[in-house]
Amino acid sequence: MKFDLTDLRLCLLVAEAGSITGGAERAHLTLASASARIRGLEDTLGVALFMRHRQGVIPTPAGRALLAHARRVLAQIEQLRGELGEYAAGLKGNVRIASNTVAMSEFLPDLLGAFLAEHPNVEIALREQTSPAVVQAVLEGAADIGVVSDWIELTGLETVPFRQDRLVIVTPPGHALAARDDVAFVDVLDAEFIGLPEQSALAEHLDGHAKRAGRPLRYRLRLRDFDSLCRAVAAGAALGIVPLSAARRSAATLGIGIVPLVDPWALRTLVLCVRERDALPVYARQLLERLQASPAEAGNTAATNENGTT
């Protein structure tokens, strides 16, 4: 069965007026049009909705059932219209962000928390993906804003710089590797590592480079975040690869060594990407402006030793 909202509204107005004539006037329809609509609805349903009498009409039992549902349906339509109006006016919003591991773990939490505190009617759906998957999500409209490394192809998207990110090796305190100023990724592939879960974007990124070098990384343990990883490294379990910001945070208390990777792909500029800035929902555009306005951190290629000095 197909129900026309105009027909449902007309039935309510007819019942309230007690006559088809009165209902037609309230619905701004001619009497002939209103009568034809009600007859058509009755024919479709195979049941009479109104009993006609000299003074007008009254609903049949079937008509009363229809009216009860019609009131609920039309009330929901009005609620939908009101809520969509709030979205259009910028009073409510949901922003979808797709981000790589580093931005999601190191840079976004504070910024997104502050934005939400200032916008109590906003919700943010944040999911972690590899940079290629983030780009695809933004292009397909599955994400409003993406945060990716600038090495990825970004044709068709508008981009602005966000942060710089350097990947470093973290070592147990006193490890021989910690005395070096820097190291190439291929030179540590014989070592054992503590890593992130296999499905994390950074793990996939590192595993891809290791496979291209023909020597897959050997993991002793996988942990869910950078802080946990650094604690396991500090205990002497193995090496780890994390962003410089995470390594510095842990070095102050754990005494881990920090050795920058010299590979070009290890120094990355993180960028914000959108399909079309002007087409973004109100709050997505406001959030993009907030993220863009936040000060970008300069890349730091210097090594930090186990005592935390540069």
Side-chain angles (χ1 to χ4, degrees), residues 4-14 74 78 81:
D4 188 305
L5 292 178
T6 301
D7 291 343
L8 295 180
R9 188 172 288 107
L10 173 61
C11 287
L12 285 174
L13 294 174
V14 167
L74 293 174
E78 289 304 314
R81 182 180 291 113

Side-chain angles (χ1 to χ4, degrees), residues 5-272:
L5 292 178
T6 301
D7 291 343
L8 295 180
R9 188 172 288 107
L10 173 61
C11 287
L12 285 174
L13 294 174
V14 167
E16 291 171 1
S19 70
I20 295 178
T21 300
E25 290 176 353
R26 296 182 183 186
H28 305 289
L29 297 172
T30 65
L31 177 60
S33 176
S35 296
R37 280 182 172 273
I38 291 176
R39 283 197 303 271
L41 187 56
E42 289 176 329
D43 291 341
T44 298
L45 297 173
V47 64
L49 299 174
F50 294 96
M51 291 188 296
R52 280 76 170 172
H53 57 85
R54 290 183 180 180
Q55 286 75 33
V57 297
I58 59 173
T60 64
R64 289 195 296 271
L66 175 74
L67 293 172
H69 288 286
R71 290 188 183 95
R72 287 195 290 269
V73 169
L74 293 174
Q76 290 178 337
I77 293 296
E78 289 304 314
Q79 182 180 13
L80 173 63
R81 182 180 291 113
E83 290 187 2
L84 290 180
E86 290 180 344
Y87 278 103
L91 300 177
K92 284 188 176 181
N94 183 286
V95 185
R96 302 163 300 164
I97 301 178
S99 171
N100 67 5
T101 304
V102 174
M104 184 171 177
S105 300
E106 294 297 306
F107 302 122
L108 290 178
D110 292 343
L111 294 171
L112 297 184
F115 183 83
L116 289 175
E118 295 174 5
H119 299 81
N121 290 328
V122 177
E123 295 177 352
I124 295 176
L126 176 63
R127 68 177 183 271
E128 178 187 352
Q129 294 181 296
T130 61
S131 288
V134 170
V135 169
Q136 192 65 27
V138 175
L139 285 171
E140 293 176 352
D144 300 307
I145 301 172
V147 190
V148 299
S149 298
D150 63 351
W151 57 265
I152 194 70
E153 177 60 49
L154 293 164
T155 301
L157 296 177
E158 298 181 22
T159 65
V160 293
F162 176 53
R163 290 287 193 276
Q164 283 203 329
D165 158 51
R166 171 169 287 283
L167 294 176
V168 300
I169 301 290
V170 287
T171 76
H175 192 281
L177 185 62
R180 297 184 56 171
D181 291 335
D182 52 45
V183 66
F185 183 58
V186 68
D187 292 337
V188 296
L189 288 180
D190 288 333
E192 294 179 322
F193 284 86
I194 307 295
L196 296 178
E198 290 185 52
Q199 65 272 20
S200 73
L202 180 58
E204 291 186 15
H205 181 60
L206 294 174
D207 289 343
H209 283 290
K211 289 178 181 177
R212 282 188 284 277
R215 297 157 66 187
L217 287 170
R218 294 184 295 150
Y219 291 102
R220 297 193 66 193
L221 176 66
R222 291 181 183 268
L223 295 169
R224 61 184 179 84
D225 57 48
F226 296 131
D227 292 338
S228 299
L229 187 158
C230 288
R231 289 203 302 271
V233 169
L239 303 180
I241 300 177
V242 301
L244 178 59
S245 57
R248 282 176 166 168
R249 185 170 61 247
S250 295
T253 56
L254 299 176
I256 56 176
I258 301 175
V259 187
L261 286 166
V262 297
D263 304 78
W265 53 262
L267 178 61
R268 308 177 295 174
T269 297
L270 302 179
V271 299
L272 305 168

